[in-house]
Amino acid sequence: MSDLKKQLYKELEIKNALFVEGVNVNPMIFQNLDLGGKYQEQVHVLFEMDHHPHVGIDFPVGFTSPGGLKLAFRWDTRSPYAIHYDDGKYYLTHNGQELFPTEFLKRPKYYNLKTSDGAEMSQVATYNREGAIFVAYSNECSLKEKGQDCLYCNINATKDTYAEKQGIFWKSPKQIGETAAAAYNEGARHITISGGFIPERREVDYYIDVAEAIREHTGLADFNGTGVIGAPLDLDVIDRYKEAGYRTIAMNIEIWDKNIFKSICPGKEAQCGGWDHWRMALEYAVEVFGHGRVRSNIVAGIEPKQSTLEGIEYLAAKGVACFAGAWCPNPGSALEGHRSPEPEWHFDLARKVAAIFRKAGFTYDQLYDCSAAPTTLCHDIYKIEDELLPVFQEKTA
Ligand code: SF4
């Protein structure tokens, strides 16, 4: 392995540890940062991923490592990692030892724009890097009314904490279409449409209207969209997403062990035909969308690693790319205060997942097209192994 790849893997380990442990910071240091101007601020459209709520305090979305990996900012005052500011420079430390200077992520231009009805585009679609934008059409989940929220999820608590303060509400198809057009004009090339369950499970009608609006405003027949949905009881509904123009579809199964699934995701169990039906829906979706065009996710760290890997391997063999993002015991979720496994546990899992994806023949472009953010550890492993990062070109230039 080249020295550059070794360095990048070290940076990836740090990225993974920060993802799990968060980063400590005195919020006052960001008074020196042009947040909301040159640099992109967090907008809480769906989940609070910082480990403490922070209404009224703005944080950056993340920063880059020297090799060009993108690291998410998640505030945790207990973390051994910290960001300091000194003499005009920000830098990352671990137990007080400097690791590297931090360059915060830039804000896209469309964040300065408003839709024709006056909504801030930054609240309609967040920028998830490398041309990927993310829309949470609703910022609440109707499972709450039934007392069936997924136990790791804090969508409804996030809404209670931030929605009014940050002006985040449901988005109309027109707002989404206009925002997508502005972002695509600036170089965006993938859009994810997501959100909590809506009453009566009427997602499909909404998604079709959204797809129409995106096509109309961007002028693109194939706008490279991913619809993130709950497994529909009637599998024919999946065909309608394809007909509406989505290139990929995502249904997050969350837990592979079906008994643990029942207790952790009571609403997904009760409203979506149960775990077996969820798995069947994923397999059916591959028939409709194709190999590598269906995505799922497991919340990694709630069930044993072996079970998660079995699920990822099973699904990959069927053509489903199932990611395994590290569980963050989010504030406001039923599991707040619990702990995710050690960073090393997650890093080992990510390497194994990437190897399973390779064996299944998934290409980087397929992983890009089906993901909400092309910056997961698996994406990064592909970028390192296939030398897709700009730093490889710089070294050979
Ligand atoms: S279905 Fe579960 S994970 Fe999805 S928004 Fe509702 S509670 Fe959260």
Side-chain angles (χ1 to χ4, degrees):
M1 189 187 292
S2 70
D3 287 348
L4 177 54
K5 286 190 180 176
K6 278 189 205 147
Q7 176 210 320
L8 287 165
Y9 272 112
K10 271 196 191 130
E11 292 177 12
L12 192 62
E13 278 186 64
I14 294 169
K15 167 173 173 163
N16 170 61
L18 279 181
F19 206 74
V20 177
E21 306 211 54
V23 61
N24 188 12
V25 73
N26 176 349
M28 298 296 283
I29 65 169
F30 293 128
Q31 284 179 347
N32 305 299
L33 191 71
D34 185 16
L35 258 188
K38 186 173 176 191
Y39 298 105
Q40 186 179 335
E41 73 281 18
Q42 294 179 344
V43 182
H44 295 88
V45 288
L46 208 53
F47 308 121
E48 164 67 278
M49 299 301 281
D50 293 296
H51 299 177
H52 324 283
H54 53 97
V55 184
I57 302 174
D58 277 340
F59 283 134
V61 285
F63 51 94
T64 54
S65 71
L69 302 179
K70 277 100 181 173
L71 288 73
F73 181 93
R74 288 176 168 187
W75 190 33
D76 193 323
T77 53
R78 299 154 301 197
S79 175
Y81 291 89
I83 294 178
H84 297 276
Y85 177 76
D86 188 24
D87 200 19
K89 293 222 164 56
Y90 291 91
Y91 57 95
L92 180 70
T93 62
H94 181 239
N95 289 329
Q97 298 291 312
E98 181 171 347
L99 294 174
F100 52 74
T102 57
E103 178 59 31
F104 292 97
L105 298 170
K106 304 254 169 43
R107 196 173 196 253
K109 293 194 186 68
Y110 78 86
Y111 265 41
N112 295 321
L113 304 177
K114 290 188 178 180
T115 59
S116 55
D117 62 359
E120 303 276 353
M121 288 192 178
S122 61
Q123 286 153 6
V124 176
T126 52
Y127 186 55
N128 278 357
R129 316 318 307 173
E130 299 170 27
I133 62 172
F134 178 84
V135 174
Y137 65 82
S138 81
N139 59 331
E140 59 191 337
C141 181
S142 67
L143 291 179
K144 182 183 177 182
E145 288 145 32
K146 302 181 168 70
Q148 294 175 338
D149 292 42
C150 302
L151 268 58
Y152 52 81
C153 179
N154 68 349
I155 184 171
N156 291 308
T158 304
K159 178 187 171 223
D160 294 345
T161 311
Y162 293 100
E164 219 159 292
K165 301 271 184 325
Q166 296 194 331
I168 294 161
F169 305 102
W170 282 52
K171 284 89 185 175
S172 72
K174 190 170 182 213
Q175 288 172 335
I176 297 170
E178 289 176 358
T179 305
Y184 275 48
N185 271 339
E186 204 185 325
R189 55 200 168 91
H190 178 253
I191 182 166
T192 296
I193 312 292
S194 188
F197 278 23
I198 56 177
E200 324 287 332
R201 303 288 320 278
R202 285 179 288 100
E203 289 101 334
V204 66
D205 300 323
Y206 189 85
Y207 275 78
I208 289 171
D209 290 349
V210 168
E212 254 169 41
I214 297 172
R215 281 208 308 266
E216 180 193 330
H217 289 277
T218 60
L220 297 170
D222 179 356
F223 51 90
N224 195 8
T226 303
V228 185
I229 62 166
L233 288 174
D234 172 6
L235 294 184
D236 287 342
V237 167
I238 290 172
D239 296 72
R240 295 182 63 200
Y241 287 93
K242 175 79 173 155
E243 287 154 19
Y246 291 93
R247 191 186 289 184
T248 51
I249 196 161
M251 289 175 271
N252 296 329
I253 196 161
E254 320 288 12
I255 304 281
W256 188 250
D257 181 303
K258 59 173 94 170
N259 291 316
I260 302 177
F261 175 85
K262 265 188 209 163
S263 10
I264 298 290
C265 305
K268 291 195 175 200
E269 171 74 15
Q271 309 298 324
C272 302
W275 183 94
D276 283 304
H277 182 76
W278 201 287
R279 177 185 51 73
M280 275 190 294
L282 285 165
E283 293 181 33
Y284 178 72
V286 176
E287 288 174 33
V288 177
F289 282 84
H291 176 94
R293 294 288 178 208
V294 179
R295 190 250 293 170
S296 194
N297 188 64
I298 288 176
V299 184
I302 293 182
E303 65 182 334
K305 188 187 282 179
Q306 196 46 38
S307 172
T308 297
L309 284 168
E310 272 167 29
I312 291 165
E313 202 142 19
Y314 176 92
L315 291 171
K318 303 282 179 189
V320 178
C322 181
F323 289 80
W327 169 37
C328 167
N330 291 328
S333 69
L335 296 179
E336 176 178 358
H338 287 235
R339 289 186 183 223
S340 199
E342 302 289 334
E344 295 73 19
W345 188 100
H346 287 293
F347 198 67
D348 174 64
L349 179 68
R351 292 192 79 149
K352 288 179 171 142
V353 174
I356 292 170
F357 284 2
R358 286 283 193 196
K359 195 169 128 207
F362 298 145
T363 64
Y364 180 78
D365 286 346
Q366 286 176 325
L367 300 188
Y368 177 90
D369 284 351
C370 70
S371 301
T375 51
T376 70
L377 296 190
C378 281
H379 287 89
D380 287 344
I381 291 170
Y382 268 64
K383 287 177 206 165
I384 295 171
E385 290 303 323
D386 297 351
E387 307 193 355
L388 302 175
L389 290 160
V391 69
F392 287 102
Q393 275 71 56
E394 287 158 24
K395 292 278 171 190
T396 51

